[in-house]
Every structure is written in structure tokens, then in C-alpha cells.
Amino acid sequence: MHNELTGWERSVNYMMEIKSAEFVTSMADYGPFTGKGLPQIAVAGKSNVGKSTLINRLCRRNKLARTSSTPGKTRLLNVFLLNNEFHLVDLPGYGFAKVDKKEKQRWGQMMQDYFEKADELLHVLCLVDIRHEPTEDDKQMNRFLREMDIPFSVIATKADKISRGARSKYLAPICRALSVQPWEIICFSGEDGTGRDDLLKLMDDILHPAES
């Protein structure tokens, strides 16, 4: 008798956990790096939406991804190896007003090159601040992913700032702007861990679709 879980048993009993996480590399242009070839999940969002905070909370590592009080510090593609199984790619934050036009164009080209070249990419986590309507940059990213036929999920960050009962009101404009349904959005907080289990379940389903 074997101990392998069936797909149904896995979905009911199994909870993915991040047992190991390490920084791999930063790069200005997507290309070869140690371990390249593993599945990838990318994290996208504007520069102050909390991408680094989400990564740190997800991995239970306070300083794995560098956080900064100054938005716009993530100007490179940052690659992390999780569970020796897949890469989490932190994309440059977009929409920071103090960055000049030339720099914005460079960031945009960097991300477009990544999306076009990263054959290992399975899914994009699109982060938006639950407290605010999506910006034009958020909508542009949404349109781009749809046009490129890249699977994505919307993650509404800073959920601890909004009471559970009021969240549906804040999700409504996000749904309208990004053409998604409320139940498709994961409300997440890097402060209190809200949504962490849901995000882990999503990532497990992405990495093991036949078993979910």
C-alpha cells in the first residue's frame, strides 16, 4: 500500500508550505542564471503596493526581499528559489511618479522582455492596494497579460487596513477595473498574515495542476 495522496485528498488535506527560500540573483535583463529552467511565478505591482512584504511573509523570512520606505527601489528582476522547486520572480515596481520618463520606459522594456522570454513562467501575481482603485498602470498590466495570454491572479494587499466586513465594498471597483470576480481575488496582509494560506493553495494549484 502506497502513501501517495489522490488529487481529492491532496486538495482537502494538503497545505503547501515554504520550507526553504533563498535569493538567487538580480538582473537588469532576463537571461541565464543558476538553476534556470524551473517553473516560475512572477510578482507584479506598483512600487509601493507591498511586493517585498508579501514575499517575506509568504516565506516567513523578514529580510529575504528588501523592503524600503522609498517606493521605486526595486529596479531589477529579483529571483528567489523556493523549496528547491520553483522560482519566484519579483518584477520591478511600476508607476512611481518621481522616476523620469526614460527610466519608466527602461522598466517597461525590462518587463516586456521578461514576459516574452520567460518560457518557464506559469503565472503572475498582480498586486493592487485594496484601499485604492487600480491605477492606469495596473490596468495596462492587466491588458498586457490578457493580450499575451499569460495566466494571472489579483492579490489585494494591505487587507489588514480594512475590516473583513467592509472588504467587499473595496473589492468592487477593483473587479470593475480589472475584469475579475470578487471570489477570484485573494485579500492579503503582510502584517497579520491574512490570505497567506489562500495564496499558498493558489501557488500549489499552479505548480501541480493535475493534483489540485
Side-chain angles (χ1 to χ4, degrees):
M1 181 177 180
H2 62 75
N3 294 321
E4 234 174 89
L5 294 176
T6 66
W8 181 83
E9 288 171 330
R10 183 187 183 92
S11 65
V12 172
N13 300 320
Y14 179 79
M15 172 56 68
M16 176 184 179
E17 188 52 82
I18 306 300
K19 297 179 180 178
S20 66
E22 60 184 272
F23 172 76
V24 177
T25 188
S26 293
M27 59 183 80
D29 299 296
Y30 186 70
F33 60 88
T34 302
K36 185 176 184 290
L38 291 174
Q40 293 181 13
I41 296 175
V43 182
K46 61 185 182 180
S47 53
N48 60 347
V49 77
K51 293 188 293 98
S52 296
T53 301
L54 178 142
I55 292 170
N56 289 338
R57 168 63 76 163
L58 184 68
C59 300
R60 299 193 193 278
R61 293 273 299 277
N62 291 335
K63 297 180 180 179
L64 179 65
R66 294 181 180 178
T67 59
S68 173
S69 58
T70 305
K73 284 293 186 182
T74 306
R75 304 190 180 194
L76 300 170
L77 300 165
N78 292 314
V79 182
F80 303 90
L81 175 63
L82 274 56
N83 286 353
N84 294 310
E85 179 186 8
F86 69 100
H87 288 116
L88 192 66
V89 182
D90 184 13
L91 301 177
Y94 54 75
F96 185 44
K98 292 184 179 180
V99 174
D100 61 38
K101 185 176 180 180
K102 185 176 180 181
E103 183 72 356
K104 286 182 181 179
Q105 290 174 338
R106 186 186 72 81
W107 288 2
Q109 188 61 52
M110 186 193 308
M111 285 198 284
Q112 183 165 336
D113 287 347
Y114 168 73
F115 287 128
E116 290 176 349
K117 295 177 182 177
D119 296 331
E120 307 88 351
L121 179 64
L122 298 181
H123 206 90
V124 179
L125 305 178
C126 295
L127 275 55
V128 296
D129 189 326
I130 193 172
R131 301 169 299 175
H132 308 297
E133 291 193 26
T135 64
E136 188 54 44
D137 290 307
D138 292 321
K139 296 175 187 176
Q140 187 175 344
M141 173 62 74
N142 183 271
R143 289 192 295 268
F144 177 80
L145 294 175
R146 291 181 185 278
E147 289 168 4
M148 294 282 288
D149 199 26
I150 298 173
F152 68 90
S153 296
V154 176
I155 313 298
T157 63
K158 309 187 182 182
D160 59 289
K161 308 296 183 185
I162 306 297
S163 69
R164 184 182 295 272
R167 285 175 192 164
S168 59
K169 181 180 74 172
Y170 285 83
L171 291 179
I174 295 174
C175 291
R176 287 194 296 269
L178 303 182
S179 300
V180 294
Q181 298 297 328
W183 57 86
E184 296 176 312
I185 298 176
I186 293 177
C187 294
F188 188 92
S189 167
E191 296 298 320
D192 62 18
T194 293
R196 183 177 183 274
D197 287 349
D198 292 331
L199 183 53
L200 286 170
K201 176 65 167 61
L202 170 66
M203 295 171 71
D204 186 53
D205 290 347
I206 293 165
L207 294 166
H208 309 103
E211 302 169 11
S212 61

